[in-house]
Amino acid sequence: MTSTRAIKVLGIGGSLRDGSQSERALRIALAGAEEVGAEVSAITGSALMLPFYDAGIDERTPEALELVEEVRAADGIVVVSPGYHGALSGLVKNALDYVEDLRSDTRPYLDGRGVGLIAVAYGWQAAVTTLNQLRTIAHALRGWPTPLGGAVNTAEVKFDEAGGASEEKVVANLRLIGRQVAEFGLARRTLG
């Protein structure tokens, strides 16, 4: 049986600063998912200010419950993290830790979902190491990282408020990541 419902792609990431470079990169990737018909939503900035994840506690804040439900409903995920001191941000890592609450689902963790991964940092070293960490986490959560990952060096590339960047190739790559997530969701639906 096939569904006519639009593929849902959830974006997670950014920093606490509204309109951060990493949040702008996320918005560009989500625009790519929209280009192929996906319904997109994002959890960014202050919505990621969650209590430290604790698997031993069943109580969740409304924000944590919303995050878990959004991930549960998503056909694909795009995760963008700033690179802080060569690693992903604690804010993004903590949000990903909440995916543990899906462990008992029929579709546990990120199983069967395409996961687009993007790291944004001031320098190549932090951008690349952060992207590698995001890939490792996606694999551990049973997600399917897209063939293309994004490592963006903001010493060379600046994002603007209009949804673009100083290098068109970066915009094209980020949109491609979003499209790959949505297309993976569509392919999985066709098989399912």
Side-chain angles (χ1 to χ4, degrees):
M1 178 164 77
T2 60
S3 171
T4 58
R5 154 185 88 71
I7 295 296
K8 292 183 180 180
V9 175
L10 173 64
I12 299 172
S15 71
L16 292 176
R17 192 169 29 92
D18 284 334
S20 68
Q21 295 290 292
S22 51
E23 184 176 333
R24 290 177 184 182
L26 176 61
R27 300 283 180 198
I28 292 169
L30 291 176
E34 282 181 311
E35 289 171 5
V36 292
E39 177 184 306
V40 302
S41 60
I43 299 177
T44 63
S46 62
L48 292 172
M49 287 184 57
L50 306 168
F52 287 121
Y53 179 76
D54 183 346
I57 298 173
D58 291 332
E59 291 179 21
R60 298 286 180 248
T61 64
E63 296 81 7
L65 289 171
E66 179 183 351
L67 171 69
V68 171
E69 288 306 314
E70 288 278 340
V71 172
R72 181 176 279 129
D75 299 298
I77 311 279
V78 176
V79 180
V80 179
S81 178
Y84 292 151
H85 307 113
L88 71 152
S89 76
L91 193 71
V92 172
K93 175 62 169 81
N94 190 50
L96 292 172
D97 287 344
Y98 276 91
V99 175
E100 178 66 22
D101 284 1
L102 302 177
R103 67 187 167 273
S104 299
D105 282 16
T106 304
R107 185 171 65 159
Y109 304 104
L110 299 179
D111 187 58
R113 295 172 180 94
V115 183
L117 302 165
I118 302 163
V120 178
Y122 192 85
W124 284 115
Q125 182 175 351
V128 172
T129 58
T130 300
L131 178 60
N132 285 335
Q133 292 165 1
L134 288 169
R135 284 189 177 278
T136 298
I137 293 166
H139 284 134
L141 292 172
R142 303 182 192 176
W144 292 72
T146 57
L148 181 62
V152 181
N153 178 357
T154 58
E156 298 175 5
V157 176
K158 299 295 180 217
F159 294 99
D160 59 43
E161 293 178 18
S166 58
E167 287 192 29
E168 191 54 40
K169 181 177 181 177
V170 170
V171 172
N173 284 342
L174 296 178
R175 283 193 171 141
L176 178 56
I177 291 168
R179 282 195 308 273
Q180 287 179 343
V181 169
E183 289 167 351
F184 185 86
L186 287 167
R188 292 280 301 178
R189 179 180 291 168
T190 302
L191 295 173

